[in-house]
């Protein structure tokens, strides 16, 4: 089973290979006989269908592809996938540099905002205490606020992966701080009791 990332990478490889896109027409029966992929549940004209061949790696019935070569698509980014029936998945994607770049930039900005909120909650928890995690929190904060202007799509994707890792680190740090505080409270209670 291919992962979504593998599928995305395969599609981007085909886009870079700049395959020619050829359009032909056939009856629905002729197209199906040739193994052309048709979407389940879609309605097709029995007498004439549009067949789109993307350099031989994908041949489908389609009315919406308007490029002469795959390279014109520039970049492909999967943004969601879901089940539409047993054994059938629907994917949603963006194509084109600007669309993919804007999507990733917005996703990164949202992730940065979420991390800043998490960091503030943690910082407020340890405020005023000479805590050993304060230095770590400053390092994390500087990594959250990296500038995003002028980055390529691949660099933006890499930065998003880094923010996802920071998210994991912050959650683990919050858990450790809670444990440390609980332990300190327990020790105080035990000291008062003796």
């Amino acid at each position: 089973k291919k992962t979504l990332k593998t599928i995305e990478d395969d599609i981007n490889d085909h886009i870079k290979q700049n395959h020619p896109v050829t359009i032909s027409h056939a009856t629905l029966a002729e197209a199906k006989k040739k193994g052309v992929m048709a979407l389940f549940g879609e309605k097709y004209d029995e007498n004439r269908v549009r067949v789109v061949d993307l350099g031989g790696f994908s041949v489908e019935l389609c009315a919406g592809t308007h490029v002469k070569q795959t390279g014109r698509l520039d970049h492909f980014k999967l943004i969601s996938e879901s089940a539409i029936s047993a054994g059938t998945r629907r994917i949603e994607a963006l194509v084109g540099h600007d669309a993919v770049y804007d999507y990733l930039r917005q996703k990164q900005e949202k992730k940065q905002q979420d991390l800043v909120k998490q960091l503030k909650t943690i910082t407020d928890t340890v405020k005023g205490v000479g805590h050993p995690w304060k230095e770590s929190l400053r390092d994390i904060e500087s990594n959250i606020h990296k500038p995003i202007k002028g980055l390529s799509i691949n660099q933006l994707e890499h930065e998003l992966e880094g923010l996802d890792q920071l998210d994991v680190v912050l959650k683990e740090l919050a858990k450790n701080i809670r444990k440390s505080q609980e332990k300190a409270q327990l020790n105080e209670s035990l000291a008062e009791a003796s």
Side-chain angles (χ1 to χ4, degrees):
K1 208 173 174 184
K2 287 186 172 182
T3 66
L4 292 176
K5 179 68 176 140
T6 304
I7 292 167
E8 187 178 282
D9 290 345
D10 287 349
I11 291 170
N12 278 310
D13 285 344
H14 283 292
I15 287 171
K16 287 176 191 161
Q17 291 172 25
N18 203 24
H19 297 290
V21 176
T22 56
I23 309 296
S24 62
H25 294 86
T27 66
L28 183 59
E30 290 169 341
K32 284 183 175 179
K33 213 181 279 183
K34 291 179 183 177
V36 173
M37 185 165 57
L39 296 176
F40 178 74
E42 290 290 321
K43 304 245 188 268
Y44 297 103
D45 182 338
E46 296 285 327
N47 300 316
R48 184 175 164 94
V49 291
R50 183 172 182 258
V51 178
V52 178
D53 182 340
L54 301 170
F57 74 90
S58 179
V59 184
E60 305 176 29
L61 297 180
C62 180
T65 304
H66 301 287
V67 295
K68 301 243 185 256
Q69 295 173 294
T70 59
R72 298 287 308 259
L73 298 172
D74 186 65
H75 202 88
F76 174 91
K77 180 70 181 163
L78 282 170
I79 59 171
S80 71
E81 62 94 21
S82 59
I84 57 173
S85 65
T88 305
R89 308 294 294 171
R90 166 169 286 157
I91 63 168
E92 293 180 26
L94 296 170
V95 292
H97 180 273
D98 292 347
V100 172
Y101 187 86
D102 287 346
Y103 168 78
L104 292 172
R105 186 184 47 74
Q106 289 170 12
K107 190 173 176 181
Q108 183 181 28
E109 287 173 356
K110 170 87 172 81
K111 188 67 170 179
Q112 285 173 319
Q113 290 168 1
D114 292 346
L115 289 172
V116 165
K117 286 177 189 172
Q118 272 187 66
L119 186 63
K120 181 172 178 5
T121 301
I122 294 170
T123 304
D124 289 348
T125 303
V126 297
K127 199 174 226 168
V129 180
H131 231 283
W133 290 296
K134 282 192 172 189
E135 189 63 36
S136 295
L137 292 173
R138 277 194 285 278
D139 291 343
I140 289 170
E141 185 174 20
S142 68
N143 283 313
I144 291 173
H145 295 294
K146 285 185 178 177
I148 59 174
K149 290 189 189 246
L151 298 180
S152 70
I153 287 174
N154 289 338
Q155 289 170 322
L156 269 175
E157 287 177 326
H158 181 75
E159 289 299 319
L160 271 167
E161 289 170 7
L163 290 176
D164 287 340
Q165 290 170 358
L166 279 177
D167 188 30
V168 171
V169 168
L170 275 177
K171 286 180 176 145
E172 188 63 29
L173 187 58
K175 187 172 107 181
N176 288 337
I177 289 171
R178 273 192 305 276
K179 283 182 182 178
S180 176
Q181 288 174 332
E182 288 167 4
K183 185 177 178 182
Q185 287 172 349
L186 180 62
N187 287 340
E188 273 183 37
S189 297
L190 290 173
E192 288 174 8
S194 28

